[in-house]
Amino acid sequence: MVEDNKRLVRRWTDEVWNQGKLDLIDELVAPDYVRQDPAWPEEVQGREGLRQYVSTVRQAFTGLQVTIEDIIAEADKVVVRWRAKATHQGDFLGIRPTWREIAMAGISIHRIASGRIAETWDRYDALGLMQQLGVVP
C-alpha cells in the first residue's frame, strides 16, 4: 500500500504537473479533493477546482518542471520535498509576465484514500517566489 501511494504521487507529479495531463486528475484524485495552502487566495476544492488551479499555474509558469527530492510514505500519507523551475510568461495572481526564470522549493503532504489523492497540504517559499518576480524587495 505504501509503495502504491508513492507511485501515485510520483505519477501525479510527473504526468499532471510536469506534462500537463489534466485529464488524469479524474483518475488520480478523489472527487472531494481539498488543497490546503495558506499562500493561495482560496482553498482548492474538488477535481474541477484542482484542474483550474493546475492550469492557472502551468499557464503562468511555462516549462514547469517539478523534481521530487525526497518522498516518504507511511499509512495514508505521502510527504514530498520538491523543487520547481519555470519561466514566468503568463499572468499570475494579478502579476503580469516578467519573463523571469524562477526556482522554488517546497514540501507537500498528500493524504491518499481509496487509491486517490484526497487532500494536499502545501508549504513553499512564497516570499522567495514574489522576490524572484520582483513584486517585493
Side-chain angles (χ1 to χ4, degrees):
M1 178 170 131
V2 168
E3 289 305 314
D4 290 339
N5 291 349
K6 287 164 72 172
R7 271 191 291 281
L8 170 67
V9 171
R10 280 190 183 101
R11 187 171 179 210
W12 158 253
T13 302
D14 184 48
E15 295 185 44
V16 175
W17 279 108
N18 290 340
Q19 298 177 37
K21 295 181 180 177
L22 301 183
D23 56 318
L24 286 179
I25 288 174
D26 291 336
E27 178 184 337
L28 304 178
V29 174
D32 57 348
Y33 174 86
V34 176
R35 180 178 180 273
Q36 311 285 340
D37 176 358
W40 194 252
E42 57 199 37
E43 186 176 81
V44 175
Q45 296 183 348
R47 290 175 176 159
E48 189 53 39
L50 181 59
R51 199 175 339 272
Q52 290 173 4
Y53 169 75
V54 173
S55 178
T56 296
V57 172
R58 286 186 49 79
Q59 287 174 12
F61 296 100
T62 59
L64 178 66
Q65 283 299 302
V66 179
T67 303
I68 293 175
E69 300 285 324
D70 289 303
I71 186 165
I72 302 165
E74 184 173 321
D76 66 342
K77 302 283 189 322
V78 178
V79 179
V80 177
R81 184 175 65 87
W82 52 266
R83 293 196 176 281
K85 295 171 83 173
T87 303
H88 180 221
Q89 294 184 1
D91 287 342
F92 179 68
L93 299 176
I95 303 166
R96 305 280 299 152
T98 62
W99 304 99
R100 295 180 180 187
E101 291 196 17
I102 60 99
M104 58 187 280
I107 294 176
S108 299
I109 302 171
H110 303 282
R111 182 175 61 82
I112 312 300
S114 301
R116 292 188 170 143
I117 300 171
E119 192 166 10
T120 301
W121 295 268
D122 278 326
R123 298 298 181 269
Y124 52 90
D125 184 10
L127 175 60
L129 174 62
M130 294 297 125
Q131 288 172 327
Q132 290 176 70
L133 296 177
V135 177
V136 296

